[in-house]
Amino acid sequence: MVVVLHRLLERFAQGAELTIAQYRFLLTLKREPRRASVLASMSGIGRPAASALVTGLAKRGMIERYTDPDDGRAEMLRLTDAGLAEYAAFERALARDLSAYLAIDEPEGLLDRIEELAHVIDRNRTPTLRD
């Protein structure tokens, strides 16, 4: 089931303005600001790949960097208004696409439930050494 959903998401993302990896970063930053290393760990990618994603999203004005108030040497990332708008547009289009498979009249409700599930999974996942 997960593989089928992932393939569907990949197909959808090919015609969208965001890649799946970019979407995953924006989803995480929508919840709260994070360090790039934490985003990499949560996404299961290496730091070089995360750095490339961060640079690309920052150039597009979707995220911004700022100094971590708890550690002046560290950099935090947060979603910008433009990033939130792009994220929301991606999700609305995805909801319309997914709802066609399920004959759902309210695609937004489907996304709300999926996002709720993602929050529960993230809250209950066991942190790795890299988190």
Side-chain angles (χ1 to χ4, degrees):
M1 172 180 77
V2 172
V3 172
V4 172
L5 287 172
H6 192 267
R7 277 197 312 253
L8 180 66
L9 182 58
E10 284 178 330
R11 259 196 327 265
F12 174 80
Q14 288 174 348
E17 295 290 321
L18 292 175
T19 66
I20 294 171
Q22 290 169 332
Y23 170 73
R24 190 170 36 232
F25 270 31
L26 296 179
L27 170 64
T28 303
L29 291 174
K30 180 183 173 219
R31 295 178 191 151
E32 65 181 298
R34 304 239 185 210
R35 290 182 181 187
S37 60
V38 173
L39 287 174
S41 178
M42 291 177 77
S43 299
I45 62 174
R47 290 183 189 204
S51 179
L53 282 169
V54 166
T55 298
L57 290 169
K59 282 183 181 177
R60 291 175 61 186
M62 297 176 150
I63 63 172
E64 61 186 3
R65 298 172 166 112
Y66 67 98
T67 302
D68 185 341
D70 297 327
D71 180 356
R73 300 166 297 158
E75 181 178 84
M76 296 291 289
L77 305 168
R78 69 177 149 227
L79 200 58
T80 63
D81 289 341
L84 183 58
E86 188 71 33
Y87 167 85
F90 183 92
E91 284 219 323
R92 282 191 304 275
L94 178 60
R96 283 191 303 274
D97 195 60
L98 290 175
S99 66
Y101 290 95
L102 301 170
I104 294 174
D105 293 331
E106 276 223 30
E108 296 294 328
L110 174 63
L111 280 182
D112 291 342
R113 300 300 296 177
I114 292 171
E115 186 168 350
E116 180 182 335
L117 176 62
H119 283 295
V120 169
I121 291 169
D122 273 353
R123 228 183 3 257
N124 293 317
R125 89 178 168 84
T126 304
T128 65
L129 294 176
R130 296 186 307 176
D131 281 357

